[in-house]
Amino acid sequence: MYIAQAFKGDNVSWKFWITTLVCGGIFIINFISYLLTSPEDMEAAYEMLKSIPKILGLILNLIPFVVLLIFLIVFVVFMHKRSFLSLTTSRSKIDFKRILFSFLLISVLTIGGFVYSYYSTPGEVVWNFEPGKFTVLVIVSLILFPFQIGFEEYFFRGYLMQQIGVAVKNKWFPLIFTSVLFGVAHSANPEVAEMGYITMVFYIGTGLLLGIMTLMDEGLELALGFHLGNNLLAALLVTSEWSALQTDAMFKYVNEQATDAMVNEMLASVAISYPIIIIILAFTYKWKNWGDKLFGKVVMPVEQVTENGIGK
């Protein structure tokens, strides 16, 4: 079991809190700042960020995740005394084919959806391609986005889901809790201010999708590929004045504000696209025992009981 991999390490509570506060501090500070800042000041902050060159803004946005991912790995390996593999998967080695499959799946669906939207609502999106700027964007994105999505997956679906799971001894609570937490962590994004709190359905729904992938597949590989494909295309394919990522993407939304149709598209992805993705993955990887994998108990593996000296 994936969650039970945490039993391989030292799970004393103070180590959990140090790791969580240091690695998750950026989300906590961001959320508190968002709550204490007036809408007018928040709008001014967004406008100030727009004045920064797009590629510089992207780099400044992503660089902290490089440091945070390194911190998380160091804490898990040296303080919790666990392997990086145990944080990634319950398999004997990381399955890179799964990462690639999930990456290609979301890429095909996203591009297909964009092409349909582009031709069904002409004039809403315009060509924004500048070869020089786009080339730099591709290079920066390929270097830094793996750290950003890596940290979010290893922290939310990896570290927190495992540590909370072994503490509460079940799977449903860490699945729901980390999904909501993932949504709250993105609540300060400009899209939420622009589209309203209904957007949180998308973020929490995405967290739930990634969590189900992780539990059903007993590892983070599918979630890593999905998250990377989603974020890369968000940066490279289309940008807008109100998105969290201001980039020199290939296309750009003409509207300076989000429309109801855009909100509906976002909600439709959760209600329609996400279940389809789950069905495709379930068929591909022959997922079984849904009840146990999503709602069952978390127990220490027999070999770990012996190694820890429990029951001797």
Side-chain angles (χ1 to χ4, degrees):
M1 295 188 299
Y2 176 69
I3 287 181
Q5 295 297 303
F7 284 118
K8 295 180 179 180
D10 184 351
N11 298 315
V12 64
S13 61
W14 67 265
K15 294 184 178 182
F16 165 76
W17 286 112
I18 288 178
T19 304
T20 300
L21 291 175
V22 171
C23 295
I26 188 172
F27 298 113
I28 297 171
I29 293 172
N30 199 35
F31 181 65
I32 293 175
S33 298
Y34 175 71
L35 292 178
L36 298 179
T37 303
S38 67
E40 294 77 15
D41 290 339
M42 187 63 68
E43 182 65 28
Y46 290 149
E47 291 300 321
M48 182 191 70
L49 291 175
K50 290 179 184 179
S51 66
I52 301 174
K54 290 184 175 63
I55 194 63
L56 177 59
L58 181 65
I59 292 173
L60 293 175
N61 189 294
L62 297 180
I63 280 292
F65 293 101
V66 177
V67 178
L68 290 172
L69 181 57
I70 293 173
F71 269 124
L72 179 60
I73 294 173
V74 168
F75 282 144
V76 169
V77 172
F78 294 101
M79 192 161 69
H80 284 279
K81 304 185 187 305
R82 288 175 52 195
S83 68
F84 178 69
L85 178 66
S86 72
L87 189 65
T88 307
T89 183
S90 59
R91 284 172 274 275
S92 59
K93 60 181 180 179
I94 298 174
D95 189 340
F96 290 98
K97 290 183 179 179
R98 274 175 155 82
I99 297 176
L100 179 61
F101 180 84
S102 186
F103 175 87
L104 293 176
L105 176 61
I106 185 59
S107 297
V108 169
L109 291 176
T110 299
I111 294 173
F114 175 77
V115 171
Y116 172 79
S117 178
Y118 181 80
Y119 286 104
S120 63
T121 55
E124 189 173 273
V125 177
V126 296
W127 186 244
N128 189 56
F129 181 71
E130 295 184 46
K133 291 182 177 180
F134 185 75
T135 300
V136 175
L137 173 62
V138 170
I139 294 172
V140 170
S141 297
L142 290 176
I143 293 173
L144 293 181
F145 269 112
F147 288 97
Q148 185 251 331
I149 69 96
F151 172 72
E152 290 190 356
E153 288 309 310
Y154 278 106
F155 184 64
F156 288 103
R157 256 70 59 184
Y159 183 76
L160 289 182
M161 184 176 284
Q162 287 183 335
Q163 294 297 139
I164 294 172
V166 299
V168 300
K169 301 296 189 297
N170 67 54
K171 302 170 186 177
W172 67 265
F173 180 79
L175 171 62
I176 299 300
F177 183 79
T178 56
S179 300
V180 173
L181 203 61
F182 182 74
V184 171
H186 291 79
S187 61
N189 284 8
E191 291 93 338
V192 178
E194 183 65 33
M195 298 182 178
Y197 284 102
I198 189 66
T199 316
M200 296 300 293
V201 173
F202 171 76
Y203 287 117
I204 294 174
T206 301
L208 188 61
L209 170 71
L210 295 168
I212 291 173
M213 284 183 190
T214 301
L215 291 181
M216 289 304 303
D217 202 56
E218 300 288 5
L220 278 179
E221 292 98 333
L222 294 179
L224 287 167
F226 180 96
H227 203 158
L228 180 59
N230 180 78
N231 285 26
L232 271 179
L233 287 175
L236 301 177
L237 189 59
V238 60
T239 188
S240 69
E241 293 295 329
W242 36 267
S243 61
L245 294 175
Q246 299 287 313
T247 68
D248 297 300
M250 296 179 67
F251 295 90
K252 183 177 182 179
Y253 283 110
V254 173
N255 297 319
E256 294 186 0
Q257 294 182 329
T259 64
D260 291 340
M262 294 175 190
V263 176
N264 292 334
E265 280 184 25
M266 184 176 286
L267 297 179
S269 67
V270 176
I272 301 174
S273 300
Y274 285 6
I276 292 174
I277 290 170
I278 289 293
I279 291 171
I280 292 173
L281 293 176
F283 176 79
T284 302
Y285 295 106
K286 298 177 174 57
W287 289 346
K288 298 177 180 178
N289 303 321
W290 289 73
D292 180 63
K293 287 192 174 183
L294 297 180
F295 304 101
K297 295 181 179 180
V298 174
V299 295
M300 184 179 292
V302 174
E303 62 271 20
Q304 204 61 42
V305 172
T306 303
E307 182 177 327
N308 292 353
I310 299 174
K312 287 186 177 180

